[in-house]
Amino acid sequence: MITQVEKMQKEVLVIEGKRKLQGILRVSGAKNSALPNMAATILTDKEVILENLPDLLDVKLMKQLLEDIGSHIDCIDNNVCSFRLSSPKSFVANYDIVSKMRASILVLGPMVARFGYAEVALPGGCSIGARPVDLHLKALEMMGAKIELQHGYIKAYAPKGLKGAHIFFEKITVTGTENIMMAAVLAEGQTIIENAALEPEVVDLAKMLKKMGADIQGEGTPRIVINGVKELNGTKHTIIPDRIEAGTFAVLSALSDGKIIIQNYPMEYLEYVNEVFKDIGIYILPVDKDKVIIKREERLKPVDIQTKEYPLFPTDLQAQFMTLLCFADGVSQITENIFENRFMHVSELNRMGADIKIVDRTAIIKGIKELTGADVKATDLRASAAMVIAGLVADGITKIHNIYHLDRGYEHIDTKLKNIGANLWREINE
Ligand code: EPU
């Protein structure tokens, strides 16, 4: 008997390439907004309702983690849930969940802020890099928490509560900024976060915290100022659209001959990406108040891309653009500046006939005429998306192994793609 998890890990996504794709792809709520906003529900004993939650593996894992801590969660449907943590039943985020989802670290700040204690398994490295959490821990220490690393767990104590501090992040960190913002809203006095992340997901979290009664200024700028309050209220909040899913759909649309309309494309979060699309010869054109279509020139132009923090080019779209640039007429370059090991999809694209070489942190992509179906493996969430796009536009059948990564971040992706004419199915690889 194989378990559900073992079954998932053996699942292979089989895609028949070159089908005509046509119809509407709707962008779901952002995973990377949903996770911190869910963690923020720890900060109050009142009810918080989240709408437009994506129905994803990572969201399910965060629900399980919150329930383990003592949250009562009621879901009206797959996308609307209410959360209430009246009194905690555990202060531990255990290894089992943290090892499956690094974003579990987001419960550390809110738990210490509200309860004065938390234990979170130390997230290890993952397939895209070492990904330490030292900056989260240093900032919490500056706020008066005592941190111990024992038996693979981070133990954070602040029995008398956290105190405001002036924090300068040496490196821009998205979940680090979110964790400390959540810790600071209930701390005594003022916290200033310098070199804060500017991502729309950080701003969305601040927006919800403010609705709960937090005093935050400067979100979306490198300097966030937070004046701690005694307690927070409940609220109702709608998660913003997923800019990475939207960008992924735009790449697919540009490479498909059909006519794909993208619904909920968040233009305002993708300004830089839209400019890069334009440089390649791809145009995002609004057709309705919440819909866009993608028009392209016959010949796609090669470009050089550097991944950087928001508002520049997101690392989370790097792999998908690598698939896109395989079809450019000439040589492109992509330099990955955020994670040290985020090129695992290169060898897989090369298996499909791509011509990509890696020199240090730069991938050199020579345009080719066609990709051909092959057995490939998904190495992380965004790499899986790149392989799915490649499979959909390649000649023949592509089998993507380890496809479970995809389900962490793309809501109902099989159904969405089938609805626009894709022919794909899952098999269990015995
Ligand atoms: N870093 C440190 N020390 C720290 C924290 C970060 O050295 O304490 C380094 C990291 O190793 C990395 C860089 O700083 O080299 C930036 O990492 P960051 O902390 O910003 O990444 P994250 O918060 O762990 C979030 C997203 C990622 C996304 C990155 C970068 C969530 C839940 N995750 O991760 O999303 O790639 O920001 O934009 O918001 C994904 O969705 O596929 C994904 C990986």
Side-chain angles (χ1 to χ4, degrees):
M1 264 283 281
I2 59 171
T3 65
Q4 189 64 26
V5 175
E6 281 167 342
K7 187 173 158 230
M8 235 173 65
Q9 287 176 345
K10 286 184 171 182
E11 236 169 33
V12 176
L13 183 69
V14 188
I15 304 178
E16 181 198 345
K18 289 215 161 139
R19 296 263 301 197
K20 189 172 171 58
L21 303 179
Q22 187 161 7
I24 297 181
L25 281 176
R26 188 187 157 275
V27 176
S28 300
K31 165 179 85 75
N32 290 347
S33 248
L35 298 174
N37 282 298
M38 287 170 79
T41 66
I42 295 174
L43 289 162
T44 177
D45 61 356
K46 310 285 184 325
E47 182 185 41
V48 177
I49 299 173
L50 291 177
E51 296 176 325
N52 202 31
L53 275 174
D55 185 19
L56 301 170
L57 198 56
D58 274 14
V59 166
K60 290 194 178 92
L61 287 168
M62 185 57 94
K63 278 185 195 160
Q64 198 184 323
L65 178 47
L66 293 174
E67 278 175 341
D68 289 351
I69 296 169
S71 293
H72 187 79
I73 305 177
D74 264 331
C75 292
I76 295 158
D77 58 31
N78 284 337
N79 306 107
V80 181
C81 296
S82 90
F83 300 80
R84 186 173 196 146
L85 178 48
S86 305
S87 53
K89 66 174 193 223
S90 156
F91 299 101
V92 184
N94 69 42
Y95 178 73
D96 195 37
I97 293 189
V98 181
S99 63
K100 292 191 188 105
M101 182 183 62
R102 297 180 49 82
S104 308
I105 190 72
L106 284 165
V107 301
L108 182 65
M111 277 172 80
V112 185
R114 179 157 163 217
F115 306 121
Y117 183 66
E119 276 183 43
V120 178
L122 202 52
C126 74
S127 59
I128 61 177
R131 303 185 74 182
V133 290
D134 56 319
L135 302 175
H136 303 227
L137 304 187
K138 247 194 234 172
L140 280 175
E141 274 178 333
M142 287 181 73
M143 296 178 75
K146 188 165 164 269
I147 308 275
E148 284 173 4
L149 299 182
Q150 273 177 357
H151 309 295
Y153 276 78
I154 302 162
K155 296 187 179 178
Y157 310 77
K160 292 196 182 131
L162 293 168
K163 298 221 167 8
H166 195 154
I167 290 154
F168 182 89
F169 279 123
E170 291 156 34
K171 235 183 188 180
I172 299 176
T173 160
V174 177
T175 49
T177 302
E178 292 164 345
N179 229 338
I180 298 312
M181 195 158 71
M182 289 189 278
V185 290
L186 288 182
E188 191 191 321
Q190 187 173 75
T191 299
I192 300 176
I193 306 176
E194 310 260 17
N195 205 25
L198 312 181
E199 268 67 2
E201 294 76 20
V202 174
V203 176
D204 191 43
L205 173 64
K207 196 171 162 196
M208 183 175 102
L209 291 170
K210 282 171 145 178
K211 286 197 273 182
M212 293 166 75
D215 179 352
I216 305 175
Q217 286 150 42
E219 69 276 16
T221 78
R223 188 173 200 264
I224 305 179
V225 180
I226 302 146
N227 292 304
V229 295
K230 286 250 169 313
E231 56 179 31
L232 293 177
N233 297 313
T235 192
K236 191 180 202 181
H237 185 73
T238 305
I239 302 295
I240 57 172
D242 195 315
R243 63 195 163 100
I244 305 302
E245 188 193 26
T248 305
F249 289 165
V251 170
L252 173 62
S253 180
L255 290 180
S256 315
D257 291 334
K259 204 172 159 210
I260 300 175
I261 296 168
I262 306 175
Q263 189 175 5
N264 287 345
Y265 187 90
M267 280 287 196
E268 69 274 34
Y269 306 146
L270 286 163
E271 279 180 12
Y272 190 90
V273 172
N274 292 343
E275 286 304 310
V276 176
F277 270 131
K278 218 187 268 178
D279 292 344
I280 300 173
I282 294 167
Y283 307 94
I284 316 290
L285 306 173
V287 283
D288 199 350
K289 72 174 188 336
D290 67 343
K291 297 193 184 76
V292 299
I293 52 165
I294 315 300
K295 289 268 178 241
R296 58 167 279 185
E297 285 163 20
E298 185 66 24
R299 171 185 175 267
L300 296 182
K301 292 185 282 285
V303 291
D304 290 353
I305 296 175
Q306 298 269 342
T307 65
K308 288 266 191 228
E309 296 85 0
Y310 191 83
L312 299 176
F313 194 89
T315 172
D316 291 346
L317 280 175
Q318 180 255 105
Q320 301 88 316
F321 269 69
M322 185 112 44
T323 302
L324 175 63
L325 292 173
C326 286
F327 294 93
D329 187 6
V331 180
S332 302
Q333 293 196 9
I334 303 184
T335 304
E336 173 56 59
N337 296 301
I338 306 293
F339 293 113
E340 66 275 20
N341 192 26
R342 212 175 195 183
F343 278 150
M344 309 254 284
H345 43 282
V346 168
S347 52
E348 305 308 303
L349 284 170
N350 283 344
R351 289 177 64 77
M352 298 177 74
D355 183 349
I356 310 172
K357 289 188 181 57
I358 302 173
V359 179
D360 297 326
R361 293 183 82 148
T362 301
I364 300 162
I365 307 133
K366 219 166 158 187
I368 40 120
K369 287 269 167 300
E370 183 167 77
L371 290 175
T372 48
D375 274 68
V376 291
K377 62 173 184 281
T379 47
D380 74 77
L381 167 58
R382 307 303 171 187
S384 332
M387 301 320 300
V388 170
I389 299 170
L392 287 167
V393 300
D395 185 41
I397 298 281
T398 296
K399 292 187 173 191
I400 310 176
H401 299 250
N402 295 349
I403 195 62
Y404 64 91
H405 288 291
L406 187 71
D407 301 324
R408 289 191 32 225
Y410 288 87
E411 183 180 49
H412 305 161
I413 187 70
D414 299 24
T415 311
K416 284 188 183 182
L417 293 173
K418 279 180 190 164
N419 286 346
I420 60 163
N423 186 24
L424 48 85
W425 62 94
R426 298 204 184 203
E427 287 176 356
I428 302 292
N429 193 17
E430 294 303 342

